[in-house]
Amino acid sequence: MSNYVVIARFDRITDGILNKLRKSFANAGYSVPEWPIHITIAAYENMDEKRLCDWTEAFCESHTRVDVHLCSLGTFLPNNNSNVLYLAPAYSKTFVDFYYGFHQKYEEYCTGIGRYNSIKDDSPSIHCTIAEMDTDHLQNAMKLVFDRNCFKQAKITALEVYTYPMSLIKRFELK
Protein backbone atom coordinates (compact mmCIF):
# COMPACT_ATOMS: atom_id res chain seq x y z
CA MET A 1 0.00 0.00 0.00
CA SER A 2 1.46 3.29 -1.15
CA ASN A 3 0.51 6.72 -2.46
CA TYR A 4 -0.44 7.14 -6.12
CA VAL A 5 -1.57 9.82 -8.54
CA VAL A 6 -3.62 9.37 -11.71
CA ILE A 7 -3.15 12.08 -14.30
CA ALA A 8 -4.83 12.90 -17.60
CA ARG A 9 -2.42 13.49 -20.48
CA PHE A 10 -3.09 15.73 -23.45
CA ASP A 11 -2.69 15.22 -27.19
CA ARG A 12 0.78 15.85 -28.65
CA ILE A 13 -0.02 19.31 -30.00
CA THR A 14 -1.33 20.59 -26.67
CA ASP A 15 1.53 18.91 -24.82
CA GLY A 16 4.03 20.68 -27.09
CA ILE A 17 2.40 24.10 -26.68
CA LEU A 18 2.22 23.79 -22.89
CA ASN A 19 5.78 22.45 -22.64
CA LYS A 20 7.02 25.51 -24.57
CA LEU A 21 5.05 27.70 -22.16
CA ARG A 22 6.56 25.87 -19.19
CA LYS A 23 10.05 26.32 -20.67
CA SER A 24 9.44 30.07 -21.01
CA PHE A 25 8.49 30.15 -17.33
CA ALA A 26 11.63 28.23 -16.35
CA ASN A 27 13.76 30.59 -18.48
CA ALA A 28 12.13 33.54 -16.69
CA GLY A 29 13.21 32.05 -13.35
CA TYR A 30 9.89 30.65 -12.16
CA SER A 31 9.55 27.26 -10.51
CA VAL A 32 7.93 24.69 -12.80
CA PRO A 33 6.76 21.22 -11.79
CA GLU A 34 8.79 18.12 -12.66
CA TRP A 35 5.56 16.33 -13.53
CA PRO A 36 4.62 16.11 -17.21
CA ILE A 37 1.91 18.52 -18.40
CA HIS A 38 -1.40 17.13 -17.12
CA ILE A 39 -4.66 17.49 -15.25
CA THR A 40 -4.67 15.51 -12.01
CA ILE A 41 -7.63 13.16 -11.96
CA ALA A 42 -7.09 11.59 -8.53
CA ALA A 43 -4.51 11.10 -5.78
CA TYR A 44 -4.64 8.23 -3.31
CA GLU A 45 -3.11 7.33 0.02
CA ASN A 46 -2.57 3.75 1.17
CA MET A 47 -3.92 2.34 -2.09
CA ASP A 48 -3.13 -1.03 -3.64
CA GLU A 49 -1.20 -0.54 -6.91
CA LYS A 50 -2.68 -3.52 -8.76
CA ARG A 51 -6.26 -2.57 -7.88
CA LEU A 52 -5.64 1.01 -9.03
CA CYS A 53 -4.01 -0.07 -12.30
CA ASP A 54 -6.78 -2.60 -12.97
CA TRP A 55 -9.43 0.09 -12.41
CA THR A 56 -7.58 2.64 -14.56
CA GLU A 57 -7.20 0.12 -17.38
CA ALA A 58 -10.88 -0.89 -17.26
CA PHE A 59 -11.94 2.77 -17.17
CA CYS A 60 -9.78 3.65 -20.20
CA GLU A 61 -11.01 0.63 -22.14
CA SER A 62 -14.59 1.84 -21.70
CA HIS A 63 -14.04 5.57 -22.35
CA THR A 64 -13.09 7.55 -25.42
CA ARG A 65 -10.74 10.49 -25.64
CA VAL A 66 -12.21 13.62 -24.08
CA ASP A 67 -12.27 17.13 -25.51
CA VAL A 68 -11.46 19.86 -23.02
CA HIS A 69 -11.31 23.59 -23.55
CA LEU A 70 -8.45 25.17 -21.60
CA CYS A 71 -10.10 28.54 -21.24
CA SER A 72 -9.33 29.94 -17.79
CA LEU A 73 -6.24 31.11 -15.96
CA GLY A 74 -6.21 30.97 -12.18
CA THR A 75 -4.17 30.87 -9.00
CA PHE A 76 -4.55 29.13 -5.70
CA LEU A 77 -4.60 31.22 -2.56
CA PRO A 78 -1.09 32.33 -1.68
CA ASN A 79 0.88 30.15 0.69
CA ASN A 80 3.61 32.26 2.31
CA ASN A 81 3.57 34.65 -0.68
CA SER A 82 3.84 31.74 -3.13
CA ASN A 83 1.19 31.21 -5.80
CA VAL A 84 0.45 28.36 -8.18
CA LEU A 85 -0.60 29.62 -11.60
CA TYR A 86 -2.71 27.20 -13.63
CA LEU A 87 -4.86 26.71 -16.70
CA ALA A 88 -8.33 25.34 -16.01
CA PRO A 89 -10.65 23.50 -18.36
CA ALA A 90 -14.25 24.48 -18.95
CA TYR A 91 -16.46 22.16 -16.94
CA SER A 92 -18.33 20.68 -19.89
CA LYS A 93 -20.75 17.87 -19.07
CA THR A 94 -18.61 15.38 -21.01
CA PHE A 95 -15.47 16.31 -19.08
CA VAL A 96 -17.20 16.43 -15.69
CA ASP A 97 -18.84 13.04 -16.33
CA PHE A 98 -15.42 11.64 -17.24
CA TYR A 99 -13.76 13.11 -14.12
CA TYR A 100 -16.53 12.06 -11.74
CA GLY A 101 -16.81 8.68 -13.46
CA PHE A 102 -13.23 7.85 -12.59
CA HIS A 103 -14.04 8.54 -8.94
CA GLN A 104 -16.80 5.90 -8.87
CA LYS A 105 -14.26 3.54 -7.28
CA TYR A 106 -11.77 4.00 -4.46
CA GLU A 107 -12.86 7.51 -3.45
CA GLU A 108 -12.24 6.52 0.19
CA TYR A 109 -8.49 6.59 -0.59
CA CYS A 110 -8.59 10.19 -1.89
CA THR A 111 -7.45 11.68 1.39
CA GLY A 112 -4.47 13.82 2.34
CA ILE A 113 -2.66 14.24 -0.98
CA GLY A 114 -5.94 13.60 -2.82
CA ARG A 115 -8.25 15.95 -0.92
CA TYR A 116 -8.21 18.61 -3.66
CA ASN A 117 -9.12 16.05 -6.33
CA SER A 118 -11.78 14.25 -4.32
CA ILE A 119 -15.43 14.57 -5.29
CA LYS A 120 -16.65 13.91 -1.73
CA ASP A 121 -17.47 17.58 -1.14
CA ASP A 122 -18.45 18.15 -4.80
CA SER A 123 -15.79 20.81 -5.38
CA PRO A 124 -12.61 19.30 -6.79
CA SER A 125 -9.90 21.69 -7.93
CA ILE A 126 -9.48 20.64 -11.57
CA HIS A 127 -6.48 22.36 -13.14
CA CYS A 128 -3.25 22.13 -15.13
CA THR A 129 -0.36 23.66 -13.16
CA ILE A 130 1.94 25.95 -15.13
CA ALA A 131 4.34 27.37 -12.54
CA GLU A 132 4.77 28.70 -9.04
CA MET A 133 5.87 32.22 -8.22
CA ASP A 134 5.78 34.99 -5.62
CA THR A 135 2.62 37.06 -5.54
CA ASP A 136 4.54 40.11 -6.80
CA HIS A 137 5.30 38.28 -10.07
CA LEU A 138 1.77 37.16 -10.93
CA GLN A 139 1.02 39.95 -13.39
CA ASN A 140 4.21 39.34 -15.40
CA ALA A 141 3.61 35.58 -15.27
CA MET A 142 0.07 35.98 -16.57
CA LYS A 143 1.41 38.08 -19.45
CA LEU A 144 3.66 35.15 -20.44
CA VAL A 145 0.55 32.97 -20.73
CA PHE A 146 -1.40 35.56 -22.71
CA ASP A 147 1.56 36.16 -25.06
CA ARG A 148 1.75 32.40 -25.82
CA ASN A 149 -1.98 32.08 -26.61
CA CYS A 150 -2.35 28.81 -24.71
CA PHE A 151 -6.12 28.95 -24.37
CA LYS A 152 -7.28 26.21 -26.70
CA GLN A 153 -9.31 23.15 -27.37
CA ALA A 154 -7.35 20.09 -26.24
CA LYS A 155 -7.93 16.39 -26.03
CA ILE A 156 -7.25 14.03 -23.14
CA THR A 157 -5.76 10.94 -24.77
CA ALA A 158 -4.57 8.80 -21.85
CA LEU A 159 -4.46 8.31 -18.11
CA GLU A 160 -1.20 7.58 -16.36
CA VAL A 161 -0.64 6.08 -12.92
CA TYR A 162 2.33 7.36 -10.91
CA THR A 163 3.78 6.70 -7.52
CA TYR A 164 3.90 9.72 -5.26
CA PRO A 165 6.56 11.09 -5.26
CA MET A 166 6.61 10.89 -9.06
CA SER A 167 7.55 7.73 -10.88
CA LEU A 168 5.49 6.47 -13.84
CA ILE A 169 3.98 3.03 -13.33
CA LYS A 170 1.86 2.68 -16.46
CA ARG A 171 0.10 4.63 -19.22
CA PHE A 172 -3.40 3.67 -20.36
CA GLU A 173 -4.66 4.99 -23.70
CA LEU A 174 -8.29 6.03 -24.03
CA LYS A 175 -10.27 4.57 -26.93
Side-chain angles (χ1 to χ4, degrees):
M1 301 291 229
S2 291
N3 298 337
Y4 300 96
V5 177
V6 177
I7 65 173
R9 295 299 308 273
F10 296 112
D11 59 274
R12 284 192 181 120
I13 293 170
T14 302
D15 204 55
I17 290 168
L18 296 181
N19 275 315
K20 285 179 185 174
L21 174 65
R22 187 180 274 180
K23 186 174 183 175
S24 70
F25 270 83
N27 291 341
Y30 298 115
S31 173
V32 297
E34 293 180 27
W35 292 83
I37 298 289
H38 71 279
I39 292 174
T40 303
I41 298 295
Y44 303 96
E45 290 189 345
N46 298 311
M47 179 69 190
D48 179 76
E49 181 179 318
K50 182 174 179 352
R51 287 172 58 200
L52 179 57
C53 285
D54 288 349
W55 166 240
T56 305
E57 182 175 33
F59 185 84
C60 287
E61 287 174 351
S62 66
H63 287 80
T64 58
R65 296 172 174 213
V66 178
D67 289 324
V68 292
H69 187 213
L70 298 173
C71 62
S72 298
L73 184 64
T75 64
F76 291 122
L77 294 174
N79 181 10
N80 294 325
N81 198 39
S82 179
N83 288 267
V84 171
L85 184 68
Y86 61 83
L87 287 170
Y91 287 11
S92 68
K93 182 174 181 345
T94 303
F95 176 67
V96 170
D97 287 350
F98 177 85
Y99 187 95
Y100 274 65
F102 190 82
H103 285 264
Q104 288 176 353
K105 280 190 143 183
Y106 307 126
E107 186 66 4
E108 66 273 18
Y109 296 98
C110 285
T111 59
I113 63 168
R115 68 190 175 279
Y116 296 114
N117 306 107
S118 173
I119 62 169
K120 287 179 190 170
D121 64 1
D122 200 30
S123 61
S125 178
I126 304 171
H127 66 282
C128 174
T129 298
I130 300 170
E132 188 173 340
M133 74 272 320
D134 290 342
T135 303
D136 295 342
H137 295 125
L138 272 175
Q139 189 169 6
N140 289 338
M142 292 170 82
K143 184 172 177 359
L144 278 174
V145 177
F146 295 134
D147 288 348
R148 300 290 184 292
N149 195 21
C150 295
F151 302 102
K152 65 179 298 307
Q153 189 72 27
K155 192 172 284 289
I156 294 173
T157 60
L159 297 182
E160 293 177 344
V161 177
Y162 285 79
T163 58
Y164 185 84
M166 180 190 74
S167 178
L168 176 63
I169 296 171
K170 191 163 183 184
R171 179 182 175 97
F172 300 93
E173 297 291 332
L174 293 158
K175 294 192 303 181

